[in-house]
Amino acid sequence: MPAVNLKMRQSSPAHSPSDSTPIRLARLRWLILALLFAISVVTYIDRVNISVTARQMMPALGLTNQDMGWIFSSFVVGYALFQIPGGWLGDRWGARLVLTVALLWWSCFTILTALSPASSLAGGIGVIATLALVRFLLGIGEAVALPTFNRAVTDWLPAEQRGLGIGIAIGGIGLGSAMTPPITAWVMVNFGWQTAFYLSALAGIALAGIWWLLARDCPADHPWIPVDAALSVSHRTTVTDLSAIPWTALRRTPTVWWLVLSYSCLGYVAYIYMSWFYLYLVNVRDFDVLRGGYFATLPFLAILITCPIGGWVTDRLSQIYGVRRGRRWVGVAGMVLAATSIGIGAIVNSPYAAIASLSLGAGWLYFSVGAYWSSTSDLSKAHAGSLSGLMNTGANIGGALSPTLTPWLADHWGWPVSLSVAALVALTGGLMWFKIDPDKGLAMSKQ
């Protein structure tokens, strides 16, 4: 059954919450955010490790670049298609159960990435189709993660802290993406490519157990909160019907679709860093393989820093100037500054200046993330998971375009033009924020 909110009630003096309850609640909130951050790290390790292990997988399994492209793309397809169902599952069943099952699911398919090429299924349909199927199913599992993060943040944190909360949770992307290449490469060289998948899957399974033991769907459900105090600390929204996504209300709310379009622009730019930045440094800026790998971590380290900061800033501005301005200003600033930094990095001659500017571009891009995700909670706390899943579907549509379009533009007109197009896309996404007003909520139909 879905968890529902216990409305705040006045406790009698004999049943007053303990004076330690606010401190205990604050610690629990930080614990939940730390666990979400850790899950975010593992999510990106399991997503990115195959791009490193491909160096040994391809000759070992007889795969071409085109073959690996199909395998990479199969993950993105599964990930994009199941964003909305993943968000709905978080709304319907709560973050504790859904994230536990999702972690176990994608950890199993991470193991199967190593095992499946030698399986009987590969003998029947071929290694390429088998790996594509496994990565597609892994993408389905990971699609649950970020929308359910938003569900957990919405349920655990008051409105004035949700930008920071989701910024911390999604900030794990930066650490996961930065640490995966060097660690996976070391494991692969010393113990073989299969071991890299086994170890990352083991981390996911262990984290699933920790999450299940320590997390709950909202403060009122947690055994560490006294029963009498639970009534006054729950932030879970009362939900009358979580059996369906309110498509009519979504369709009638322009802000929803402007959010989706704007976040699609962010996704277009973000996937360039995830797919082409390392090769750009090595092939275009003439860094050697090792130094290119080192410098390729800088955008993700910038994301690790700026994502929580942007969430904190949008919360503070929303408290002072209201939700509409607080979300909009951060969204516009992050996307416009990202566009400026990427544009400069595209044309500057110095390779080190290019790295610095492009890394700042990634940082500014994710500075705006807290404003996007907290806006979905502002629109409807009851459907925060489903809404953020819809928004993140847009990001992955944009992300599906950029890995292919970016090198095509570079081949025809050069990398300065290709990256300048990315800057223009980011600028467009920033300007769309002038049409976004999460303070109005969903346009629910009148009964």
Side-chain angles (χ1 to χ4, degrees):
M1 293 179 62
V4 296
N5 184 46
L6 297 173
K7 293 185 177 181
M8 294 180 63
R9 304 182 218 164
Q10 294 295 327
S11 300
S12 63
H15 296 85
S16 296
S18 167
D19 291 340
S20 66
T21 296
I23 298 174
R24 190 176 301 180
L25 177 60
R27 290 174 177 172
L28 267 176
R29 284 172 173 158
W30 282 110
L31 173 63
I32 294 296
L33 291 178
L35 289 173
L36 293 175
F37 179 88
I39 295 172
S40 181
V41 171
V42 169
T43 300
Y44 269 74
I45 291 175
D46 289 344
R47 178 186 302 195
V48 175
N49 55 11
I50 193 172
S51 66
V52 179
T53 59
R55 185 171 184 179
Q56 284 189 359
M57 289 177 66
M58 291 171 67
L61 301 176
L63 302 175
T64 66
N65 286 336
Q66 186 64 60
D67 295 335
M68 285 306 300
W70 286 112
I71 294 166
F72 291 157
S73 296
S74 64
F75 172 91
V76 178
V77 172
Y79 188 76
L81 287 177
F82 281 80
Q83 286 292 315
I84 297 173
W88 177 83
L89 286 171
D91 288 339
R92 179 65 178 83
W93 298 106
R96 184 193 184 207
L97 175 62
V98 170
L99 280 180
T100 300
V101 173
L103 275 163
L104 294 174
W105 174 283
W106 82 64
S107 295
C108 288
F109 284 102
T110 298
I111 293 173
L112 287 174
T113 303
L115 295 177
S116 62
S119 67
S120 58
L121 181 62
I125 65 174
V127 171
I128 300 168
T130 301
L131 281 172
L133 175 62
V134 168
R135 299 302 291 185
F136 173 81
L137 293 170
L138 190 149
I140 289 175
E142 291 207 1
V144 172
L146 296 189
T148 307
F149 287 1
N150 207 37
R151 175 75 272 159
V153 168
T154 302
D155 292 338
W156 271 91
L157 274 68
E160 65 272 13
Q161 297 176 8
R162 289 177 190 148
L164 173 62
I166 197 64
I168 291 172
I170 295 181
I173 290 173
L175 182 59
S177 299
M179 66 186 289
T180 298
I183 293 176
T184 301
W186 183 85
V187 171
M188 178 178 66
V189 169
N190 289 279
F191 303 101
W193 63 270
Q194 294 95 335
T195 305
F197 291 109
Y198 298 148
L199 291 178
S200 61
L202 182 63
I205 292 169
L207 193 53
I210 294 170
W211 172 259
W212 178 259
L213 288 173
L214 298 182
R216 295 295 185 273
D217 289 331
C218 63
D221 293 342
H222 208 287
W224 297 355
I225 297 293
V227 174
D228 290 340
L231 293 171
S232 62
V233 298
S234 176
H235 293 284
R236 183 83 194 220
T237 303
T238 300
V239 179
T240 58
D241 181 14
L242 280 177
S243 62
I245 299 171
W247 289 112
T248 300
L250 299 183
R251 188 172 61 252
R252 294 176 177 177
T253 307
T255 286
V256 170
W257 300 106
W258 285 112
L259 270 175
V260 172
L261 289 172
S262 182
Y263 207 56
S264 298
C265 295
L266 185 147
Y268 179 96
V269 181
Y271 269 82
I272 293 176
Y273 287 97
M274 295 178 189
S275 59
W276 283 106
F277 188 68
Y278 170 75
L279 293 174
Y280 170 77
L281 295 183
V282 174
N283 297 336
V284 181
R285 292 295 183 173
D286 295 325
F287 287 96
D288 60 44
V289 173
L290 291 178
R291 285 202 306 159
Y294 171 77
F295 286 122
T297 66
L298 294 181
F300 302 106
L301 294 177
I303 289 170
L304 177 64
I305 295 169
T306 59
C307 197
I309 291 175
W312 179 84
V313 171
T314 191
D315 285 340
R316 300 286 77 75
L317 292 177
S318 295
Q319 285 182 283
I320 298 171
Y321 299 105
V323 168
R324 180 175 64 87
R325 293 180 178 178
R327 305 304 187 209
R328 180 177 295 173
W329 290 352
V330 170
V332 171
M335 296 294 281
V336 170
L337 289 171
T340 303
S341 299
I342 293 168
I344 293 172
I347 62 175
V348 70
N349 289 325
S350 167
Y352 295 100
I355 289 171
S357 189
L358 291 170
S359 297
L360 280 175
W364 284 120
L365 193 73
Y366 275 77
F367 179 84
S368 65
V369 159
Y372 281 103
W373 287 77
S374 54
S375 289
T376 63
S377 298
D378 297 328
L379 282 166
S380 174
K381 290 184 280 292
H383 298 92
S386 302
L387 269 169
S388 54
L390 174 62
M391 183 183 72
N392 208 30
T393 299
N396 284 279
I397 292 172
L401 293 174
S402 65
T404 302
L405 187 57
T406 297
W408 183 84
L409 291 170
D411 288 343
H412 285 77
W413 293 285
W415 276 95
V417 170
S418 184
L419 292 177
S420 295
V421 169
L424 181 61
V425 170
L427 177 62
T428 302
L431 295 178
M432 287 180 185
W433 268 97
F434 289 103
K435 305 293 291 185
I436 295 170
D437 185 3
D439 198 29
K440 290 183 177 179
L442 294 181
M444 304 298 289
S445 58
K446 296 180 181 179
Q447 302 297 326

